[in-house]
Amino acid sequence: MKIFNSILLSSIFFLTFSCQNEENDIEVDSRSTLTSNAPLFQLVERVVQNPTSLDNVLDSSSCFAVQLPVTIIVNSQQITVSSAADYQLVQDAIDAFSTDDDIVNFIFPITIQFQNFDTQVIVDSDALEDVLEGCEDGEDEFNEIECISFHYPIVLNTFDSTNQLATTVTFQNDIDFYNFLDDIDETIYIAINYPISVVNSNSQTVIIHSNAQLENALEEAIEECNATSNITLASVITDGTWRVSYFFKNNLVQTNDFVAYEITFFPNETMQVVGNGTVVNGVWTINASGSERKLEIELEGNSLIRLEEKWKVIEYSETLVKMRLVGEGNGGNNYLYLTKN
């Protein structure tokens, strides 16, 4: 029976996705299966990771969080931080005067906890500096998504395309789920066993039946988490030049088609794409409705027509803009990520 189930699951996976042999042209049915480089996979991982950005006023790093309670000294004021509510006390002490050093000094030892929930005891400032130097936040890293959470258990069907092995894995908590996702090889395909349920920012339980519904729910959570962002999309994209760091359309990763291009968004809502010996001019517009933003791109000619869409902006920082276009029919979703040069 176990062998039969494995064969059956393998067959289901082969019907769900296929891989092309051409280099860098990987065809994946993102509507039902995920790999570690899929946008939805990365969103799920951020939901279940240990939250490490809430205490940045203490450690100035999203690589880890300092376990509470902890005692600090900032601008000669000693503060015991017992809960997340006390972070404001630290911020108030930093903001009190404009002529002080605003350096947060810990009373050691302290314990820190990383995104994978591992902990480490730090005995002095040198040890803390060593950890900070070892934190390498990737350019495409965003913080945890805290405005939503999963109900457990979560069941995944997995398929190892290298060893042709199908399995089923069940998770009961964020720790095990995160560490599984964090360690997964890119040759492993996973399918979430729907339906699942999530709890949104209003403490409402929402039943999810598909990857598309889950992606929409997580993107809504991002909008709610980032509602207080103090940087505007227009100020971000008009600062410097950009490159396409991820492009996915018609179930194909097509990023390499755009590696030679440099994109400039000008403040007057014109734009220019330079590369491959050509200069393509165009215009850009931001359309906003509530917390939702769309970046519309129009370019001359047809050489870069794949970029011409009304892209929904999922999230952005000063160095990265992530956008999605909901697909219709068999095309699936399209993704465009822009990274600052």
Side-chain angles (χ1 to χ4, degrees), residues 211-240:
N211 282 359
Q213 289 183 7
L214 179 58
E215 190 162 14
N216 287 334
L218 298 188
E219 289 175 359
E220 289 176 4
I222 290 173
E223 292 175 0
E224 294 170 0
C225 287
N226 296 340
T228 58
S229 175
N230 57 2
I231 58 173
T232 66
L233 177 61
S235 66
V236 166
I237 64 174
T238 55
D239 182 20

Side-chain angles (χ1 to χ4, degrees), residues 1-15 159 164-167:
M1 181 63 70
K2 183 177 181 180
I3 295 176
F4 174 79
N5 287 340
S6 178
I7 294 174
L8 177 60
L9 185 55
S10 300
S11 301
I12 292 173
F13 268 97
F14 275 123
L15 290 172
F159 180 74
Q164 303 293 291
L165 178 64
T167 59

Side-chain angles (χ1 to χ4, degrees), residues 122-189:
I122 304 297
V123 297
D124 55 33
S125 58
D126 290 338
L128 181 60
E129 187 63 29
D130 289 341
V131 174
L132 288 169
E133 290 179 356
C135 291
E136 297 180 358
D137 293 333
E139 64 178 9
D140 61 343
E141 291 290 331
F142 284 93
N143 296 330
E144 66 270 4
I145 304 173
E146 280 213 300
C147 298
I148 197 168
S149 60
F150 289 110
H151 267 314
Y152 289 96
I154 296 286
V155 179
L156 300 183
N157 298 321
T158 74
F159 180 74
D160 185 335
S161 61
T162 300
N163 300 312
Q164 303 293 291
L165 178 64
T167 59
T168 299
V169 189
T170 302
F171 303 96
Q172 301 290 348
N173 54 61
D174 284 350
I175 297 176
D176 293 339
F177 196 8
Y178 176 84
N179 280 287
F180 174 84
L181 297 176
D182 193 47
D183 293 337
I184 202 169
D185 190 89
E186 62 183 13
T187 62
I188 305 296
Y189 292 81

Side-chain angles (χ1 to χ4, degrees), residues 256-282:
N256 282 351
D257 293 348
F258 302 94
V259 294
Y261 293 97
E262 181 178 270
I263 304 172
T264 304
F265 297 91
F266 299 106
N268 64 355
E269 296 190 350
T270 63
M271 61 182 295
Q272 192 173 80
V273 184
V274 179
N276 282 336
T278 63
V279 177
V280 179
N281 295 309

Side-chain angles (χ1 to χ4, degrees), residues 184-326:
I184 202 169
D185 190 89
E186 62 183 13
T187 62
I188 305 296
Y189 292 81
I190 69 172
I192 299 174
N193 193 350
Y194 293 104
I196 64 172
S197 59
V198 299
V199 180
N200 63 21
S201 61
N202 297 318
S203 299
Q204 298 170 323
T205 298
V206 180
I207 306 301
I208 305 293
H209 296 276
S210 67
N211 282 359
Q213 289 183 7
L214 179 58
E215 190 162 14
N216 287 334
L218 298 188
E219 289 175 359
E220 289 176 4
I222 290 173
E223 292 175 0
E224 294 170 0
C225 287
N226 296 340
T228 58
S229 175
N230 57 2
I231 58 173
T232 66
L233 177 61
S235 66
V236 166
I237 64 174
T238 55
D239 182 20
T241 62
W242 299 80
R243 68 181 186 276
V244 175
S245 53
Y246 184 72
F247 190 86
F248 184 93
K249 188 172 186 179
N250 296 330
N251 288 329
L252 284 174
V253 177
Q254 304 174 29
T255 310
N256 282 351
D257 293 348
F258 302 94
V259 294
Y261 293 97
E262 181 178 270
I263 304 172
T264 304
F265 297 91
F266 299 106
N268 64 355
E269 296 190 350
T270 63
M271 61 182 295
Q272 192 173 80
V273 184
V274 179
N276 282 336
T278 63
V279 177
V280 179
N281 295 309
V283 295
W284 62 271
T285 306
I286 295 175
N287 300 305
S289 176
S291 60
E292 181 177 290
R293 294 172 177 82
K294 290 185 178 180
L295 177 62
E296 182 175 0
I297 295 176
E298 296 183 20
L299 297 168
E300 296 176 346
N302 296 319
S303 60
L304 296 172
I305 194 170
R306 283 174 290 175
L307 299 180
E308 295 188 72
E309 298 287 359
K310 294 181 180 179
W311 297 97
K312 178 183 178 182
V313 178
I314 305 306
E315 56 188 331
Y316 61 92
S317 68
E318 294 180 346
T319 59
L320 178 63
V321 180
K322 290 187 175 183
M323 295 175 281
R324 177 167 76 100
L325 182 70
V326 178

Side-chain angles (χ1 to χ4, degrees), residues 26-31 248-253 330-333:
I26 302 173
E27 184 175 348
V28 177
D29 188 345
S30 60
R31 292 163 296 178
F248 184 93
K249 188 172 186 179
N250 296 330
N251 288 329
L252 284 174
V253 177
N330 296 323
N333 291 334

